[in-house]
Amino acid sequence: MRSLIDQFVLKVHGGCDLACDHCYVYEHADQSWRDKPRAMTPAIAAQVGRRIAEHAQTHQLPTVRITLHGGEPLLLGISRLRDIIETLRAALDDTVRVSLHIQTNGVTLNERFCRLFDEHGVQVGVSLDGDRSSNDRHRRYANGRSSHAQVLRALALLRRPEFHHLYGGILCTVDIANDPIAVYEALLEESPPRLDFLLPHATWDSPPPGHGSTPAPYGAWLRRIHSRWLTDGQPVPIRLFDALVAASRGQPSGSDAVGLRPVALAVVDTDGSWEQVDSLKTAYAGAPATGMTVFTHSLDQLMGHPGMVARNEGHANLCTTCLACPVVHICGGGLYTHRYRRENGFDNPSVYCADLGFLAHEVTAVRSGTGSGSPGGHHLPAMHHLPKGAFDAFAAGAGTVEGTKALQHVQLSMTRALIAGGAQPEGRSDLAVAAALGRDLLIELDGRDPAATAEVFRHPFVQTWAVRCLDADSSARRERDLAHIAGLAAAAAWRTGVTTRLPLPVRAGLVHLPGLGASRVAGDGATAVLSIEGAGRPPSGWMEIRQLTAASLPVTIDDLDTYRVGHGWTAWDRLSPLQWEAWRLALSQAGDELSRLVPEYAGPLRAGLRTIVPLRAAPVDHGTGAYGTQRAFGAAGVALSDETADTDIAATLLREFQRTKLTALMDMYEFFTVAGSSPVRVPHRVDPVPVRQAFHDLYAHVSQAELWQARSAGRPVRAARDRTFEAVAAFRHHHERADLIVDALAAAGELAPAGARFATGLRATIDRLADRSPLPALPCPRSTP
């Protein structure tokens, strides 16, 4: 269970100007709204702010998300809404970063509200169920009049340039009586930055319309949208689909509707009472109540409420039907509310169980059978698969060129998704303007020449940047990070041959074009305008990323990219001509050695390794796989030497590329269960390590054993007697560690089918290497490489 809360819903107004017949507040089991104040007072808002501030300080929260909700929050009016917002800001802004949002039906949204939201940085989400006929099934005024035109007017207002940064997205409640494609197309016409589809709140006692009419009517309805969305190239993030994919990878889904990772959310009603998630109003009268208020109980006390505990316990609170389900780690049992049945409470699968199971398979493309493209019946992204035999080839150690290229395509899709789903620039600073202009140009260029933009996205540190944008821990860093998209747009313009002038963020006197180079600029502003005058015509002050053209290792040497520094890396800045020559020679020799000694590894490495970062010294942790979580597919950090010894560049390249391959494979397949994510003990580590880390250690040690065994065979370059002794000892070192780790993983007993199959393949390779192990020799000068 999570011991903190970082998401809050404030019911600032208890009334609504529409009479939607699917509304859980007014139309479902809990009617407590009738006995509560119409509006939240500033005094209650101030106390909410104090409670959140103390909780944020206690748990060192970097950010909290607050959503102003209802009823209809705009009914509070400009003046009282301003009071609430300013009261919250006054209580929180000096303590924690506040992400403010408002969810509205949009019918009374006007310029005055938008100016208020612009002043205080409030993102606006709007509810709309599709085209007019779809929307009017439920979202009408009490007299039956349509609200559709008013909502479209509100969305047009949010699309205006001065307010576009406030546009948070559209929430659509599913009705299977509507045409899903007509709904999808109508929503896209409103140019939302993101969409979400909400299953109508229901329980086993009050099932949703059409429940049981077909095996999975809601799943089938959403599947049609999902298929069209993929065909369209995923033009807008859709929260439900993204949440299912994230949950399938063991990541937080970001939604309490799916996934096992708890969503730490609390609700404050108009009277200041703490409530559980407000969808519980669908279950029974009083279901969301806690008996606690912001004046009497802290958030830590709220977290101890039995209902909060039950909702956040993941596996522990699921019924036996869910626990036996192969996709429970994806759907998570569905929304807690939807499990309710009068006879036994919430000890049931979701009333949408069949629909969620259908979607879990559809969206994450779970495949049955034992084919090598889908080991153990686990999932692959819907638009990707490995070539036949590729998974088992990777499990043997080296992999294949074709399989490596398939991994590249998967990573490219992930990078595109990260960029498309990234935060929108906010505000009007120079950096925000650069971000907005860059994003617009990049979208235009991607439509014109997707191959050129794909080449930009393939640069490893574009993915590093995209992930960092999701994790930015300060507003200043976040703003500068978001502005880097202008550099991507400039690089795409260069590759497309488009002439443009674009402001780019300045770092240490440079503006960066990922994968191409950087240009020196004058002045000390946050941005500088760069002129791109067609392909191959560099701007003034240009420094290009150098290319290593050796046939055995064709890579770029990136000593410029601002996002190139990985975990534990201390990178060189721009290499001098003499340094570059030393690197060129050393890397060429390493590539030649790998091609001679381990050609089965060298082929995939040439296909997948794109960029090398020159490091000042080898990373402090020489444990193999130390960088297995870094998002930079196709990059490797290499040092020529450190203060004590020369670095074995060939071994380093091989080890780092194993990390690249395995990280990408773990994006596609589930290697261990949620329960198996706890650390395991491996003999050479003092402390237990995560299963993911153990796999990375294992995979790297197997490749190193192969390399040192080849070196011990007395082939050219390593034929000298002392080197042969060293190679024998190094082989035994890596082989022994691989042997121990694979046993430790097997003993842990928590591997998913794909992970077990991968470990079995590596065990076969370890045994094969033992069969042709070098013979004992004289004691060697060094026992480890």
Side-chain angles (χ1 to χ4, degrees):
M1 187 188 94
R2 289 189 68 174
S3 60
L4 55 86
I5 298 176
D6 57 9
Q7 297 185 41
F8 302 88
V9 172
L10 273 59
K11 299 287 189 173
V12 297
H13 199 280
C16 189
D17 42 5
L18 294 183
C20 307
D21 58 14
H22 55 18
C23 179
Y24 62 88
V25 175
Y26 305 110
E27 302 296 332
H28 289 194
D30 186 280
Q31 292 290 299
S32 58
W33 64 274
R34 299 177 184 275
D35 302 320
K36 293 188 176 178
R38 197 70 165 167
M40 180 179 287
T41 65
I44 292 175
Q47 181 63 13
V48 172
R50 285 190 285 269
R51 289 299 192 191
I52 296 174
E54 69 183 13
H55 191 69
Q57 287 180 320
T58 299
H59 297 280
Q60 296 296 296
L61 301 181
T63 304
V64 295
R65 177 187 174 110
I66 299 176
T67 301
L68 307 179
H69 210 280
E72 171 49 47
L74 297 188
L75 291 181
L76 202 60
I78 295 287
S79 177
R80 287 188 294 171
L81 196 55
R82 178 185 296 277
D83 287 344
I84 295 288
I85 293 171
E86 290 180 348
T87 297
L88 290 170
R89 287 267 185 220
L92 293 168
D93 278 349
D94 292 338
T95 303
V96 63
R97 181 178 183 270
V98 179
S99 177
L100 269 177
H101 301 256
I102 192 165
Q103 186 66 34
T104 174
N105 60 34
V107 298
T108 58
L109 187 70
N110 57 33
E111 290 189 14
R112 292 182 63 209
F113 278 118
C114 286
R115 284 194 289 271
L116 171 65
F117 300 149
D118 182 32
E119 181 181 349
H120 292 284
V122 180
Q123 291 282 291
V124 183
V126 177
S127 299
L128 176 69
D129 289 349
D131 57 290
R132 175 164 181 159
S133 64
S134 299
N135 193 72
D136 285 354
R137 286 186 187 275
H138 305 285
R139 296 190 180 278
R140 290 178 173 270
Y141 290 94
N143 63 5
R145 185 164 55 91
S146 170
S147 66
H148 190 253
Q150 287 84 350
V151 180
L152 294 193
R153 177 191 52 76
L155 293 171
L157 185 62
L158 289 172
R159 288 196 302 273
R160 282 169 38 177
E162 66 267 36
F163 299 134
H164 188 264
H165 61 288
L166 305 174
Y167 194 175
I170 295 176
L171 174 64
C172 171
T173 300
V174 173
D175 187 330
I176 57 175
N178 294 327
D179 179 348
I181 302 306
V183 168
Y184 169 77
E185 290 177 342
L187 296 176
L188 282 192
E189 285 180 6
E190 302 308 314
S191 303
R194 56 190 57 82
L195 289 175
D196 194 14
F197 289 97
L198 178 71
L199 292 170
H201 291 312
T203 68
W204 288 101
D205 296 326
S206 299
H211 182 258
S213 58
T214 60
Y218 287 83
W221 193 92
L222 285 162
R223 177 190 184 229
R224 289 187 60 195
I225 291 179
H226 181 255
S227 297
R228 171 64 181 274
W229 180 64
L230 291 179
T231 301
D232 289 348
Q234 304 173 40
V236 59
I238 296 181
R239 185 187 184 203
L240 176 60
F241 300 153
D242 292 341
L244 287 165
V245 172
S248 74
R249 293 173 178 157
Q251 301 165 353
S253 69
S255 169
D256 57 357
V258 297
L260 286 168
R261 301 281 189 92
V263 175
L265 180 144
V267 178
V268 185
D269 214 330
T270 55
D271 62 352
S273 57
W274 288 122
E275 290 195 342
Q276 303 174 65
V277 60
D278 51 348
S279 64
L280 282 168
K281 292 177 183 293
T282 298
Y284 58 89
T290 65
M292 303 179 182
T293 76
V294 296
F295 295 101
T296 60
H297 292 81
S298 69
L299 279 159
D300 282 351
Q301 291 173 309
L302 177 65
M303 283 300 296
H305 184 275
M308 299 288 286
V309 172
R311 191 164 55 87
N312 288 325
E313 278 191 329
H315 270 109
N317 203 56
L318 292 173
C319 68
T320 54
T321 301
C322 290
L323 289 174
C325 179
V327 297
V328 67
H329 64 291
I330 302 175
C331 79
L335 191 70
Y336 189 70
T337 299
H338 297 167
R339 306 175 199 173
Y340 182 74
R341 191 192 300 263
R342 189 175 298 108
E343 299 90 80
N344 60 348
F346 297 94
D347 189 24
N348 305 288
S350 169
V351 70
Y352 291 106
C353 178
D355 305 283
L356 293 171
F358 182 91
L359 283 174
H361 284 84
E362 176 67 22
V363 174
T364 60
V366 179
R367 296 185 177 190
S368 60
T370 58
S372 58
S374 54
H378 275 264
H379 59 274
L380 288 173
M383 67 293 290
H384 295 292
H385 66 278
L386 291 183
K388 184 177 181 180
F391 183 89
D392 290 328
F394 284 122
T400 64
V401 170
E402 293 75 15
T404 302
K405 289 179 179 178
L407 293 180
Q408 286 180 320
H409 292 317
V410 174
Q411 294 297 306
L412 175 60
S413 290
M414 287 182 62
T415 301
R416 281 188 177 278
L418 285 166
I419 294 172
Q424 300 291 328
E426 302 176 4
R428 300 175 182 174
S429 67
D430 289 346
L431 288 170
V433 169
L437 293 174
R439 190 178 188 88
D440 289 346
L441 178 59
L442 190 61
I443 291 170
E444 177 188 340
L445 294 175
D446 193 34
R448 181 185 305 186
D449 191 346
T453 54
E455 194 60 27
V456 175
F457 297 157
R458 285 191 184 99
H459 185 61
F461 304 116
V462 170
Q463 192 175 98
T464 307
W465 158 77
V467 171
R468 175 165 159 165
C469 284
L470 299 178
D471 298 331
D473 56 8
S474 71
S475 57
R477 195 189 102 174
R478 182 179 181 81
E479 192 174 47
R480 189 171 295 278
D481 285 340
L482 291 176
H484 186 64
I485 198 170
L488 273 66
W494 177 304
R495 292 184 180 277
T496 311
V498 170
T499 298
T500 188
R501 284 172 54 84
L502 193 66
L504 271 62
V506 178
R507 295 178 188 262
L510 298 175
V511 294
H512 297 267
L513 277 64
L516 294 172
S519 186
R520 295 193 183 279
V521 295
D524 56 359
T527 63
V529 175
L530 188 72
S531 295
I532 303 295
E533 298 180 0
R537 298 184 61 184
S540 60
W542 179 246
M543 295 181 290
E544 68 178 348
I545 293 179
R546 296 180 174 113
Q547 305 285 328
L548 182 66
T549 57
S552 60
L553 193 65
V555 294
T556 60
I557 311 301
D558 198 334
D559 51 7
L560 291 170
D561 196 291
T562 191
Y563 295 95
R564 73 189 185 280
V565 179
H567 305 290
W569 292 8
T570 305
W572 283 102
D573 290 325
R574 188 63 168 172
L575 298 176
S576 69
L578 285 176
Q579 287 174 315
W580 160 237
E581 182 59 25
W583 277 92
R584 188 193 64 77
L585 180 61
L587 290 169
S588 297
Q589 290 173 343
D592 290 344
E593 184 184 13
L594 291 173
S595 294
R596 286 195 304 271
L597 298 184
V598 283
E600 66 277 16
Y601 281 88
L605 186 144
R606 282 193 298 272
L609 186 64
R610 297 176 63 87
T611 299
I612 290 173
V613 176
L615 303 183
R616 288 180 175 271
V620 174
D621 182 0
H622 291 277
T624 54
Y627 313 113
T629 59
Q630 183 180 339
R631 304 306 319 185
F633 180 83
V638 177
L640 285 187
S641 63
D642 59 27
E643 295 178 355
T644 60
D646 289 339
T647 301
D648 187 338
I649 295 178
T652 300
L653 288 174
L654 197 57
R655 182 186 68 227
E656 287 293 281
F657 190 61
Q658 292 296 92
R659 173 196 65 76
T660 285
K661 291 186 295 186
L662 187 53
T663 299
L665 284 166
M666 285 183 167
D667 286 336
M668 298 181 73
Y669 300 98
E670 182 178 321
F671 273 53
F672 48 88
T673 64
V674 173
S677 60
S678 56
V680 297
R681 284 201 172 274
V682 293
H684 63 287
R685 296 279 191 177
V686 175
D687 298 318
V689 299
V691 176
R692 178 183 293 270
Q693 179 67 53
F695 265 114
H696 276 279
D697 283 3
L698 170 62
Y699 206 39
H701 280 304
V702 168
S703 70
Q704 300 294 289
E706 296 240 39
L707 175 62
W708 283 103
Q709 187 176 83
R711 284 172 170 173
S712 72
R715 299 186 187 184
V717 179
R718 295 282 173 171
R721 183 179 176 84
D722 61 337
R723 290 293 191 182
T724 301
F725 294 154
E726 176 192 35
V728 171
F731 162 77
R732 289 175 175 170
H733 164 79
H734 289 293
H735 186 269
E736 177 185 347
R737 292 213 167 164
D739 189 56
L740 293 171
I741 296 171
V742 78
D743 285 348
L745 284 169
E750 300 289 358
L751 299 184
R757 182 167 172 172
F758 199 80
T760 299
L762 290 172
R763 162 51 70 194
T765 298
I766 292 166
D767 293 344
R768 171 178 57 81
L769 291 173
D771 291 341
R772 52 187 177 93
S773 170
L775 294 174
L778 296 174
C780 60
R782 292 190 294 175
S783 61
T784 59

